[in-house]
Amino acid sequence: MSKFSYRNRPLGLYLHIPFCVSKCTYCDFYSVPDRELMQGYVSALLTHIRDYGRTCSGYTVDTVYIGGGTPTCIGPKFLARILQEVRNCFPLADDAEITVECNPESTDKKMLDTMKKHGVNRLSFGVQSAHDDELKKIGRIHTFGQTKEAVGLAQQRGFSNISLDLIYGLPGQTQEMFLDSVAQCLAMGPQHLSCYGLKLEPGTPMERENPVLPDDDAQADTYLAMCEMLRANGFEHYEISNFAKPGFRSRHNIKYWDLSEYLGLGPGAHSFMNGRRFAFARDIKAYIGGEDILTDEEEVASFQRQGEYLMVRLRTADGVDFLELEKRYGIDSTPYEESFRRLLGNGLVAHQGTRWYLTEEGFLVSNSIINAVVEAGQEQVEN
């Protein structure tokens, strides 16, 4: 394990909790249902928190994100130990954003009080739909009634930064049905919404079932209608799938979209530090056994970094400022800007001075636009 020692550099810390009561049919995140492994896993994670707390001296952790899996399914005792160990081993910024992903069925008064006591100040609830029949189809084990109860309890206990996740493009789902889910979520008064289009991930039960999904045009219409609805309700559309009330953007996720440094601990967790990318293998038993199986270890070349920077920044409403790009990577941004100018007039891109960004219509075809822009830079390098 390499030592990272830099004075007061900000660091995002991600901790993976690879447990779920049951696996949703669409999900390909790494998780297991074996509760007997929880104690061993938490012990291994605590060891890594201590180890990396020492080797990352000089950083200040300004965001912590505990995701999964289902972090709340491990119970308040284990979660408290993890949160306390982070505080013991890493210097935390006074205003650190500390997020825990929650599932409605495992978020009760005791869990909420534990999180509040240990400094958690942001909750992200996996809601996915306001319709119980849709929830059942995709393997969710909560009802929307449980969602409303859990969110209400969180608000009663003083949590004022709450995010809700929704999925559109589900089998048999109409635009009207999804917008009703959005409306019912808005009625709970969240500060943030993450709304993702369903993707059939290889190897998942839903992918094997190969259900009939709304076609691309229907999903595009739903996406644009959702954007308009959330804008009308005071939400800023700051990333392709993310919407926030002013002042409530996810600071941790912004690190991924800005190529800032972050450390991920747990099987399947990824890190990007000091120009090096690495991840832990998706193998909980090896992790518990103390095997530091790092995968995808690589020094990220300068051109690759600028390409990745473009890819992640163009997912955001802020887009890319080419003066900043030139300063950051010491390059000529002209080929990139020319590739954008060729798209002007079709409603997919826009700019303010040297800052170029995708419109909401552009977000719908973001992959093709981003690929074209990155390839323009590649041609510059090759020539």
Side-chain angles (χ1 to χ4, degrees):
M1 182 167 53
S2 300
K3 183 177 178 65
F4 304 97
S5 184
Y6 304 96
R7 283 331 240 163
N8 299 319
R9 287 172 66 164
L11 181 69
L13 178 63
Y14 174 80
L15 305 174
H16 190 62
I17 306 300
F19 297 98
C20 285
V21 176
S22 63
K23 193 79 169 176
C24 298
T25 58
Y26 59 87
C27 181
D28 74 335
F29 289 110
Y30 182 69
S31 65
V32 297
D34 192 347
R35 299 182 65 87
E36 293 182 1
L37 296 175
M38 280 186 185
Q39 184 167 343
Y41 178 74
V42 171
S43 294
L45 182 61
L46 295 176
T47 296
H48 257 165
I49 291 171
R50 289 190 286 269
D51 289 346
Y52 276 89
R54 288 190 292 269
T55 60
C56 294
S57 62
Y59 279 102
T60 296
V61 171
D62 59 348
T63 67
V64 179
Y65 195 104
I66 301 180
T70 308
T72 48
C73 83
I74 66 173
K77 180 180 176 181
F78 282 148
L79 189 58
R81 289 178 63 189
I82 292 167
L83 288 164
Q84 187 59 53
E85 202 66 21
V86 169
R87 199 169 288 277
N88 291 343
C89 299
F90 287 91
L92 287 182
D94 291 341
D95 64 344
E97 176 192 86
I98 304 177
T99 303
V100 175
E101 288 185 350
C102 305
N103 270 17
E105 75 282 353
S106 54
T107 305
D108 56 17
K109 294 179 182 179
K110 190 172 182 180
M111 175 60 75
L112 289 163
D113 289 342
T114 296
M115 290 192 287
K116 194 72 173 176
K117 176 182 177 182
H118 288 274
V120 176
N121 51 28
R122 185 175 184 273
L123 304 179
S124 179
F125 282 92
V127 180
Q128 316 314 354
S129 174
H131 305 126
D132 290 347
D133 57 338
E134 287 186 332
L135 292 171
K136 187 175 181 180
K137 284 180 184 177
I138 61 176
R140 303 293 292 184
I141 60 175
H142 69 271
T143 65
F144 189 63
Q146 288 175 302
T147 295
K148 291 191 288 187
E149 181 178 359
V151 172
L153 283 172
Q155 291 166 332
Q156 290 171 19
R157 274 157 171 70
F159 287 95
S160 57
N161 190 352
I162 294 176
S163 178
L164 307 179
D165 285 4
L166 286 171
I167 301 176
Y168 64 90
L170 295 174
Q173 186 185 67
T174 64
Q175 181 182 128
E176 182 181 20
M177 292 164 65
F178 178 71
L179 294 181
D180 180 69
S181 285
V182 175
Q184 293 200 56
C185 284
L186 288 174
M188 290 187 282
Q191 287 69 45
H192 189 281
L193 283 173
S194 295
C195 302
Y196 302 101
L198 177 66
K199 183 179 178 183
L200 296 179
E201 299 289 354
T204 60
M206 184 173 284
E207 188 264 345
R208 290 193 293 269
E209 293 168 5
N210 194 28
V212 177
L213 305 180
D215 63 32
D216 290 346
D217 288 343
Q219 291 201 42
D221 289 344
T222 296
Y223 178 81
L224 294 175
M226 168 192 71
C227 294
E228 178 58 35
M229 184 177 189
L230 292 176
R231 185 163 44 250
N233 280 273
F235 283 78
E236 300 171 341
H237 189 183
Y238 72 101
E239 192 270 344
I240 289 179
S241 303
N242 287 275
F243 306 78
K245 289 290 184 71
F248 288 95
R249 297 183 180 192
S250 170
R251 288 166 49 197
H252 184 82
N253 285 344
I254 286 172
K255 289 182 179 293
Y256 303 142
W257 305 323
D258 195 33
L259 284 195
S260 297
E261 293 184 294
Y262 54 90
L263 170 67
L265 300 179
H270 290 253
S271 302
F272 180 65
M273 301 180 69
N274 197 30
R276 187 166 72 91
R277 193 179 302 287
F278 59 95
F280 288 96
R282 293 163 62 109
D283 186 337
I284 187 172
K285 291 184 178 179
Y287 191 86
I288 291 172
E291 301 178 42
D292 284 4
I293 305 175
L294 296 179
T295 64
D296 303 324
E297 284 193 273
E298 62 174 346
E299 294 289 335
V300 183
S302 177
F303 173 74
Q304 185 180 348
R305 258 186 271 176
Q306 72 194 44
E308 289 184 4
Y309 181 75
L310 282 163
M311 290 173 66
V312 292
R313 290 300 302 168
L314 290 175
R315 290 185 57 88
T316 71
D318 292 333
V320 177
D321 188 315
F322 285 128
L323 287 181
E324 180 183 338
L325 183 71
E326 290 182 345
K327 181 179 179 181
R328 185 166 183 159
Y329 295 106
I331 62 168
D332 177 9
S333 65
T334 302
Y336 296 120
E337 186 169 355
E338 288 177 348
S339 68
F340 269 105
R341 289 195 179 280
R342 287 194 289 269
L343 295 170
L344 275 177
N346 57 16
L348 301 178
V349 303
H351 73 105
Q352 294 179 339
T354 59
R355 182 175 70 86
W356 289 78
Y357 55 95
L358 305 189
T359 64
E360 287 175 340
E361 289 78 6
F363 281 155
L364 290 168
V365 289
S366 59
N367 288 342
S368 60
I369 295 175
I370 291 170
N371 287 339
V373 173
V374 173
E375 285 174 6
Q378 179 68 58
E379 292 174 2
Q380 173 186 228
V381 171
E382 292 174 350
N383 294 332

